[in-house]
Amino acid sequence: MTDDENGRDPHRGPSPGQTPREWFAGLLRAHIEERGGGSYEELVVATEQAHLRVAKSTLGDALSGKRTPRLETVQNLVTALHHRQGLPGRPELRDWERDYEHLLDLQSDRRTGTRSAADARAASEGRTWPRRFGPLPEPAHSFLARPALRVPPGPGRFLLTGAGGVGKTQTAAEHVRECLLAGDLDLVVWVTATTREDIVAGLAEAAAELTGSTGPNAELTAARLERWLAGTRRTWCVVLDDLARPQDLEGLWPPHSTNGVTLVTTRRQDAALQARGTVIDLTLFDAHESLAYLTSRLGTHHTPPEALANLADDLGHLPLALAQAATFLLDNEMSPAEYRTRLSREGARLADLVPDGALPDGYPLPVSATWALSVRRADELRPSGVAGPVMHVLSLLDGTGVPGELLATPALSALAPHPSEAAARDEVHDAVHNLRRLSLLSVDTTATAPRAAPDSGAGPVGALAGKAIRIHSLTQHATRDLLDPPERRAAAGSAAQALVEGWRAPQLPARLDRALRANAFALAGHAQDELLTPVPHPVLYRMGHSLGDSGQASAALRHFRRLREVVDARFAPDDEISLDTRGHLAWWQAKAGDPAGAARAYASLYADQDRLYPSDHPSLLQTRQSAAVWQGAAGDPHAAVTELKYLYELRISLGRAADRDTISNRNHLANFLSASGDHAGALALHEAAWREAEARLGPDHPDVLRARSAAMHHRGELGDVASALAALRDLLEVQQIDDPEGLDTFATRARIADWTGREGDPAQAVALLGSLLVDRLRVIGPEHPHTLGTRMDLARWRTAAGEPARAATELTELLADEEELLGLDHPALPVTRAALADALEKIRHR
């Protein structure tokens, strides 16, 4: 205990033989002497000058210890002395108020044996300890105790945080009930904390009764509770339920005390708020808890546990959603399967799937309205008006992981009305964290950060890059329910454009490609009509190509078949959109293992385009080229050479020698010349391209090195393996500086390994491919076609290097993976089977 500024110990109390009033009068007299002294008349003048007049008789009674003064008398006297000395502002009255409360306690002890004057009044009115202020919520039906999330016994401040509906209020109420039952609490103050006014009213009610002091200013009355709690010997718990704005508690926080516990339930996760106490983050039920809860609520009404488990999965294991769904099931005599069907039905609204009338457990809002209120609160935070549109977009995406890079795209930066794109991107970032502060989403920082640095021009970046944004499925559902048609169209358009912009990032990491694809499919599921009106959005095509490029060619084919059906139902057969969709479908028909069918599909498309386009139209020529390429891949390279040679010469004659399509035409022609056995013809084409590029760009440019590598490949086929390897190694040296983990760099390493084996060193080829496989698994994943191809090449060269048994094991595993990932008709499978047969043959002849 330390003395105050006047040198007294305010809690020391009377000396032996001294009454409480005499002790308090001594404190007043000592204070007057410290402030200049004076007679009764002089003190009365001082109070009059401060417009706080105190009568002479009142002063005499107080300073002699004859009577107990009113608290206001003490406050007026101390304030008048403060002004008489010419001191600015108002004096600190807290210590005096605490001394006065101690005086009342001492007097009450003498009179009644109770601990305070307020106690004496309460006892005379039939009110006894423990005391309660504010309505304690009724226990939840089938309340499920969660030992890992229990409130510690205290003392202390504890912040129960989490999304709406996870059980924060019920957890706090259960803690209070347990403490009351155990006899560990003398006082409970339960205050609704959604507004400052509610907090003040709840605290003022308790303060007025406990301190016996009221006044016209409710804020000052509420603030007195803090002083009472700090000095009382009673054990207490103050619950501030559903705190909406941390600043609403400014000046009203219950004190730290060895006798008290403060519980704050809130969706807010502000760092400043969390620094006020120990955070207990309430999470969703796990699968076992959800099943236990539903079983206890529904009893034997719905017995199959798998039906209840499926329902819990659909509701995302949110306690409030489970409570309201269980009541709805009982009220409507409905099975979990029927409820799930309604929930998944297009256009279903959460508000229609909660009990009609009184909600279970006294919860004031349906589960959907809970989040709508939180979104509005987040939208009010700075930058005002941005969190709402951001949440609209996020509600249409994949709640298990929206990549943070998406939030930095121009399409989503436009959600903030700032004229500067950089500032708008910052505002979107802040809006995301406002939503996080209201427990509407979480930001997972465990994802791998991107290689691109901010403002490097290497695609969408920002403070959220490399992070994943996660949102509960019902939060998304509730947000979508409230979107009107214009809002839904705007949100879908922004989300789709952001995904397309995200895919434009060069050297896209496989992690980000997977995340963009998952989000695109989620968007298509929630907003298909919006993505097809007035014309199909490019994201519908880009997501299909991402699927196929990841190694899932058959899935990409199914996607484009469905897309063509939708497009055919909306657009005429000769519409450019219909024709373009057929081209995408034919491509994945080929990549999925049907090159002959793809060649026929392209030929049919060409016939229809030929009726509509002029003979030199680029799309017409490209379709004809694709038909030729897949005809050659299907086993007729000579026919492909004839068609490609005609198209190449036509493009040259049209003055399009430098066009990308012409260069592609030349590369395909050279490859099919090589496949036809004409390596010299293929070399001539690629050597001309190499010399042409060298003249424009210089010998060390990466494009020139690629052209040289293509030419030297054919020299290698003609027997000059050393030239092929030298060209590839020169190219690799540059690629490893520019992009060591790029797909082109990996492809060059694969070709070096192949030519190393063909030069007569299969063991070195195995070593090179083993290292490459490790890198491809890490960067592009096990399902990518390039990774599968590397496994195939590695096993093949193992056989050549004298390890047929190990090669056979690896090829058997590869064949099973290819059947699962690529489909039974994929052309890679016969190649793998042939390599396996070769390895087994080598084993038999050893």
Side-chain angles (χ1 to χ4, degrees), residues 163-439:
V166 294
K168 302 182 294 294
T169 296
Q170 283 295 335
T171 299
E174 186 67 14
H175 173 76
V176 170
R177 280 190 288 270
E178 288 179 355
C179 291
L180 287 170
L181 185 64
D184 294 335
L185 274 182
D186 294 325
L187 171 67
V188 176
V189 181
W190 187 286
V191 177
T192 299
T194 50
T195 67
R196 172 86 175 184
E197 291 75 17
D198 289 339
I199 297 170
V200 168
L203 296 179
E205 178 190 356
E209 186 166 322
L210 292 169
T211 67
S213 176
T214 60
N217 190 320
E219 290 259 355
L220 292 178
T221 302
R224 291 190 182 104
L225 182 63
E226 185 270 341
R227 295 188 287 275
W228 189 92
L229 294 173
T232 185
R233 295 183 293 276
R234 295 283 188 185
T235 56
W236 55 266
C237 177
V238 176
V239 182
L240 299 156
D241 185 37
D242 195 18
L243 178 66
R245 302 186 337 137
Q247 58 266 40
D248 286 345
L249 273 178
E250 193 63 39
L252 297 175
W253 276 95
H256 288 288
S257 167
T258 57
N259 294 323
V261 171
T262 301
L263 298 180
V264 179
T265 74
T266 181
R267 301 172 207 178
R268 297 293 290 259
Q269 298 187 37
D270 306 60
L273 174 62
Q274 295 189 346
R276 291 277 193 168
T278 301
V279 176
I280 302 173
D281 186 18
L282 269 73
T283 57
L284 305 172
F285 281 163
D286 62 30
H288 297 295
E289 290 170 333
S290 293
L291 184 58
Y293 175 81
L294 288 175
T295 301
S296 64
R297 281 298 315 276
L298 300 173
T300 58
H301 186 65
H302 300 296
T303 52
E306 62 273 12
L308 298 181
N310 291 336
L311 176 61
D313 286 342
D314 286 356
L315 294 174
H317 302 278
L318 180 74
L320 175 61
L322 296 175
Q324 296 188 358
T327 302
F328 187 86
L329 290 175
L330 293 169
D331 287 349
N332 294 276
E333 297 185 350
M334 182 182 295
S335 72
E338 290 170 323
Y339 187 95
R340 295 178 63 217
T341 299
R342 288 198 188 187
L343 182 64
S344 63
R345 188 175 297 154
E346 186 174 355
R349 295 173 60 85
L350 288 178
D352 298 329
L353 294 169
V354 296
D356 189 15
L359 296 171
D361 304 333
Y363 202 84
L365 296 171
V367 65
S368 56
T370 298
W371 290 303
L373 177 61
S374 294
V375 173
R376 285 198 297 273
R377 288 175 179 169
D379 205 41
E380 292 168 357
L381 300 175
R382 190 176 65 242
S384 177
V386 181
V390 169
M391 191 66 188
H392 294 172
V393 170
L394 295 176
S395 74
L396 299 174
L397 296 173
D398 178 16
T400 64
V402 178
E405 290 86 346
L406 214 58
L407 276 298
T409 57
L412 294 196
S413 296
L415 297 176
H418 202 286
S420 162
E421 184 177 328
R425 187 167 61 235
D426 290 343
E427 290 188 350
V428 169
H429 167 273
D430 293 348
V432 169
H433 282 283
N434 287 341
L435 293 165
R436 179 192 60 79
R437 287 162 66 188
L438 269 296
S439 299

Side-chain angles (χ1 to χ4, degrees), residues 628-672:
V629 167
W630 293 115
Q631 183 180 11
D636 194 351
H638 297 287
V641 166
T642 301
E643 274 287 276
L644 291 169
K645 186 178 291 186
Y646 167 79
L647 288 170
Y648 181 59
E649 292 170 354
L650 175 60
R651 282 169 162 148
I652 296 294
S653 69
L654 293 171
R656 302 175 185 172
D659 285 2
R660 183 175 179 177
D661 288 346
T662 305
I663 294 171
S664 170
N665 190 154
R666 181 175 61 197
N667 288 336
H668 283 300
L669 175 57
N671 290 336
F672 281 111

Side-chain angles (χ1 to χ4, degrees), residues 24-67:
F24 190 78
L27 294 182
L28 285 173
R29 291 194 300 270
H31 184 72
I32 292 169
E33 291 300 319
E34 286 286 330
R35 294 296 185 269
S39 65
Y40 287 162
E41 290 81 1
E42 290 171 331
L43 293 175
V44 169
V45 170
T47 62
E48 289 176 342
Q49 290 175 342
H51 306 291
L52 299 168
R53 189 178 188 282
V54 177
K56 181 179 178 181
S57 60
T58 301
L59 279 174
D61 288 343
L63 296 178
S64 65
K66 183 178 180 180
R67 287 193 176 90

Side-chain angles (χ1 to χ4, degrees), residues 613-626:
Y613 299 156
S615 60
D616 61 349
H617 193 282
S619 294
L620 183 66
L621 299 181
Q622 191 62 27
T623 299
R624 187 171 178 180
Q625 174 180 310
S626 295

Side-chain angles (χ1 to χ4, degrees), residues 393 396-398 402-403 406 409 411-412 460 492-505 508 512-513 515-524 531 537-540 542-543:
V393 170
L396 299 174
L397 296 173
D398 178 16
V402 178
L406 214 58
T409 57
L412 294 196
S494 296
Q497 187 58 32
L499 288 164
V500 170
E501 291 168 354
W503 262 308
R504 287 176 184 160
L508 192 71
L512 183 53
D513 179 54
L516 293 172
R517 186 167 64 251
N519 278 270
F521 275 96
L523 174 63
L531 296 180
H537 195 282
V539 74
L540 293 171
R542 186 62 186 83
M543 61 199 277

